[in-house]
Amino acid sequence: MLARLRSRSRSGEDRGTTLVEVIVASTIGALALAATYTVFWGFTDDVAVATDLASAQRETRPVISAMVIELRQATPPNAAAGGNPVVALSTTSASFVTDRWDATGPELVTYQLESCSAGLCDLRQTVIAADTTAVEPEWTHDDATLVLDRIVARDVVDPASSGDALFAGVNYVAGAAVETASCDVSTGTACDFALVAVDLKIDPNGLRDNPRVYEVYEEVRMRNAQ
């Protein structure tokens, strides 16, 4: 009788969990946990990116609005400008004279990308007052009297990385846009265009694996351009 009981206890009906079953169960559990973590991480990353983009939009819109107003009210500073309000322009900077500000004479406004690193830059705005000895319409800004100097946007995509200019002069000829990439009145190169295109790209999450860019594009017609 005792032998029969021992034999029955060793039968397959009462055996425990085998090592293979433990390994299979552990593997399935690990895969399920990894899938759950991947979904959760993807969701939280998307939320973080969306939050960053919303913040970039909130901070960038006032900058673009102010820039558009300044450009629209740009005015030729003197006869040397040849009736053109913009005095210098490149893919990363624009300098123009505007009468937006409440001052004796029109100020020289410059927007310039600087401190570029890993494809991202700061956008600095400087405003220089007209010389007190200058007389309309021959305004000069040689004294470099600084009225304003500030960083207006960070994490701006460097045109050297994106291939898209931050600033460009634009004329439409027979319905087609003809762009000016650079000009400088001081070197004898006229900034002869009626519009300025501003293509501002902000990448607030450039260090992420899945970066997304907030972009604002404006073509501003200068009211005093000839």
Side-chain angles (χ1 to χ4, degrees), residues 93-155:
S93 67
S95 296
F96 52 92
V97 177
T98 181
D99 59 0
R100 177 188 179 188
W101 303 92
D102 184 15
T104 303
E107 288 79 16
L108 176 64
V109 179
T110 298
Y111 287 91
Q112 170 77 51
L113 290 182
E114 62 176 33
S115 303
C116 297
S117 177
L120 299 179
C121 311
D122 293 336
L123 179 61
R124 179 178 293 277
Q125 179 199 30
T126 59
V127 179
I128 294 177
D131 297 339
T132 56
T133 57
V135 179
E136 187 179 3
E138 293 298 308
W139 297 109
T140 58
H141 303 83
D142 299 331
D143 294 341
T145 303
L146 198 62
V147 176
L148 188 64
D149 183 8
R150 60 177 179 171
I151 300 296
V152 294
R154 299 190 185 276
D155 299 321

Side-chain angles (χ1 to χ4, degrees), residues 167-216:
F167 298 105
V170 179
N171 280 320
Y172 279 91
V173 180
V178 178
E179 293 191 353
T180 298
S182 64
C183 62
D184 192 336
V185 172
S186 66
T187 62
T189 307
C191 298
D192 188 13
F193 40 80
L195 300 94
V196 174
V198 183
D199 189 4
L200 181 62
K201 295 182 175 70
I202 304 291
D203 183 1
N205 41 67
L207 298 180
R208 293 182 180 274
D209 294 333
N210 184 28
R212 300 178 195 173
V213 174
Y214 171 70
E215 180 177 7
V216 181

